[in-house]
Amino acid sequence: SSFDPLGSAYAAGQWKNCSHDARDYEQGFLPHRRRENAIVTRLVVNWRLCKSRTPHVMSFFDMANAFESTHHDLLDDTLSAELPDCAAHVLKQRHRYSTVLLPTPDRTLLLRPRTGGRQGCRVEPSKFVAAFRRSLDAFIDDHQELPRGKALLTTCPVTLAKVDLSVSTFADD
């Protein structure tokens, strides 16, 4: 494998040195937020709404090859919003100038992907989650009937903070 572990560690360090505003609805690839929590929460909310005979709609979307299909322009915009300029510049280079070696029977092809990041890079899931967050926030603002934070409120038993359960996302690889 020609994967660059030192560059991956450096990129992960740059990403972790900055704060990222995770939303209440995000699970997976975030500290202490497992995707299983989102799945169980969805099941419990659905059960309780059905039990109380409250009309509701639940939609589930699966994004196949999500990390690999994110356009570089969206990744660039996300990195510019999330990181200082110098760190964003370095991390942009990692996906913009990555290459893939594709062996064929008579030769090896050198390809430069136009979407996604480096397969196996520790920062790629977090970059995707941050990019998806920006798109989902805009979608929620345009389509949610009640203002954000007013739909399905509950109290977190650990932090005692109010949490809106009307939207949840989770990522896994």
Side-chain angles (χ1 to χ4, degrees):
S1 170
S2 59
F3 188 70
D4 173 22
L6 185 59
S8 180
Y10 176 79
Q14 291 295 311
W15 184 265
K16 288 181 181 183
N17 282 338
C18 297
S19 64
H20 307 283
D21 297 328
R23 305 296 187 267
D24 289 336
Y25 61 74
E26 294 176 328
Q27 308 289 328
F29 294 116
L30 293 165
H32 313 292
R33 294 185 178 197
R34 298 178 52 88
R35 65 183 170 86
E36 292 85 359
N37 295 353
I39 294 167
V40 170
T41 299
R42 289 293 96 208
L43 293 172
V44 170
V45 167
N46 184 55
W47 180 84
R48 292 189 70 172
L49 290 171
C50 288
K51 193 76 170 162
S52 67
R53 298 178 188 239
T54 302
H56 64 284
V57 174
M58 293 182 72
S59 299
F60 295 91
F61 299 97
D62 182 11
M63 300 176 67
N65 298 316
F67 302 159
E68 295 84 10
S69 63
T70 309
H71 288 271
H72 284 173
D73 291 340
L74 178 58
L75 291 174
D76 288 349
D77 291 346
T78 300
L79 290 171
S80 293
E82 296 277 329
L83 300 171
D85 289 341
C86 59
H89 182 70
V90 171
L91 267 68
K92 287 176 189 178
Q93 290 179 20
R94 288 191 56 79
H95 63 259
R96 284 277 178 190
Y97 300 108
S98 65
T99 55
V100 175
L101 298 173
L102 182 64
T104 66
D106 58 336
R107 62 185 165 166
T108 298
L109 301 175
L110 180 64
L111 306 173
R112 180 173 289 163
R114 295 181 181 210
T115 61
R118 297 174 62 101
Q119 181 70 28
C121 183
R122 295 186 294 181
V123 179
E124 291 310 317
S126 299
K127 282 176 19 183
F128 172 79
V129 167
F132 187 68
R133 172 188 311 133
R134 298 174 77 215
S135 300
L136 188 59
D137 281 348
F139 178 83
I140 291 169
D141 289 342
D142 290 344
H143 294 89
Q144 193 168 18
E145 295 294 322
L146 295 172
R148 190 180 308 182
K150 302 289 185 197
L152 271 173
L153 288 180
T154 190
T155 302
C156 173
V158 177
T159 65
L160 302 179
K162 292 289 183 191
V163 179
D164 183 355
L165 298 178
S166 60
V167 174
S168 68
T169 62
F170 60 90
D172 65 2
D173 58 354

